[in-house]
Amino acid sequence: MNILGIIVSFIFIFLIIGVSTFLTNKKILSGEGSRKFIHIGVANWWIIAMIFFDSPLWAAVVPALFIIINYISYKKQIFKAMERGGEKSDLGTVYYAISLFVLSIVTFWEGMNPYVGAMGILIMGYGDGFAAVIGKKYGKHKFEVMGGQKSLEGATVMFVVSFVVAFIIAQLAGGSSLILPLSLAMIATLVELFSPYGTDNLTVPFITSLSYYFLWFNF
């Protein structure tokens, strides 16, 4: 199952990148829309990992390889659909793969729970992904935080989508009160606001997963 999982993982990820590239070339997606399509789509890899992998070492193989692949792509602009033109200040795609790698290593151990990693990764993928798309297109009430431009509309979408994701995962993991997903959504939204230059791909999944782990037994 582990080898099959790696094969399925690569097919899935390159399919997401391929579809995004096709839609961009057809002018259906813009550059930012293309990046966020990949951002949201690849987060679902965690579901594949939970189905196929039975140890943290196997689960970490794919993200470990994509740390290298994404860095090379960042430097050489290989996968243009997911790059921002090689800006030195934004290693977001590399940070994304690092988050997958670290949370795979940490949460797939026996005695831990992959749902803890799922909470951080899927909130990052869906929450941050939709917030960026909606904020960029419909954001009217803009403000600056840590050198980056944000919008009230984007932050609201981040909170709402994060809450929905947190609620679903918490229910699948054994249920909880509404206080837990509300708390996690607020934490993720605040962390995203104060994370510049693509670092939200590190801070949101790490802090959200860590918060979920410590709040797990209290709600």
Side-chain angles (χ1 to χ4, degrees):
M1 285 289 283
N2 290 303
I3 298 296
L4 179 60
I6 291 175
I7 295 170
V8 171
S9 295
F10 271 91
I11 292 172
F12 173 75
I13 293 170
F14 282 116
L15 180 62
I16 293 291
I17 295 172
V19 169
S20 180
T21 301
F22 174 80
L23 294 176
T24 302
N25 291 338
K26 293 295 183 180
K27 309 300 183 184
I28 297 173
L29 290 177
S30 64
E32 186 64 20
S34 172
R35 287 186 288 273
K36 292 308 174 182
F37 180 89
I38 295 172
H39 183 93
I40 294 167
V42 170
N44 296 291
W45 170 81
W46 198 269
I47 298 170
I48 293 174
M50 291 178 67
I51 293 171
F52 286 97
F53 300 125
D54 57 16
S55 80
L57 297 180
W58 280 109
V61 168
V62 173
L65 291 173
F66 270 94
I67 292 173
I68 300 169
I69 293 170
N70 287 1
Y71 184 73
I72 294 172
S73 177
Y74 160 77
K75 297 294 287 186
K76 304 293 186 182
Q77 295 295 291
I78 297 172
F79 301 117
K80 295 184 184 299
M82 69 180 192
E83 303 297 346
R84 280 195 171 96
E87 297 171 12
K88 298 298 182 184
S89 59
D90 191 344
L91 280 163
T93 58
V94 179
Y95 298 151
Y96 195 120
I98 290 172
S99 292
L100 289 170
F101 174 76
V102 173
L103 289 175
S104 295
I105 289 291
V106 171
T107 65
F108 273 81
W109 285 107
E110 186 175 352
M112 277 296 290
N113 194 321
Y115 279 113
V116 173
M119 187 67 78
I121 294 300
L122 292 172
I123 282 180
M124 172 190 66
Y126 281 89
D128 178 51
F130 280 111
V133 172
I134 301 300
K136 188 174 181 66
K137 188 169 184 178
Y138 300 106
K140 304 294 184 183
H141 303 86
K142 298 184 183 297
F143 54 94
E144 195 168 293
V145 181
M146 303 287 288
Q149 192 174 72
K150 306 290 183 177
S151 71
L152 180 60
E153 292 80 3
T156 301
V157 171
M158 175 71 183
F159 177 80
V160 172
V161 174
S162 296
F163 169 75
V164 172
V165 172
F167 178 80
I168 292 172
I169 293 174
Q171 294 304 309
L172 290 173
S176 72
S177 70
L178 287 177
I179 297 175
L180 177 58
L182 283 171
S183 300
L184 293 173
M186 180 59 69
I187 290 168
T189 301
L190 290 173
V191 169
E192 195 278 333
L193 283 175
F194 290 95
S195 301
Y197 307 123
T199 56
D200 54 344
N201 287 349
L202 287 173
T203 57
V204 170
F206 288 162
I207 295 175
T208 304
S209 288
L210 189 64
S211 299
Y212 181 40
Y213 178 75
F214 283 112
L215 293 173
W216 176 284
F217 302 101
N218 296 317
F219 295 104

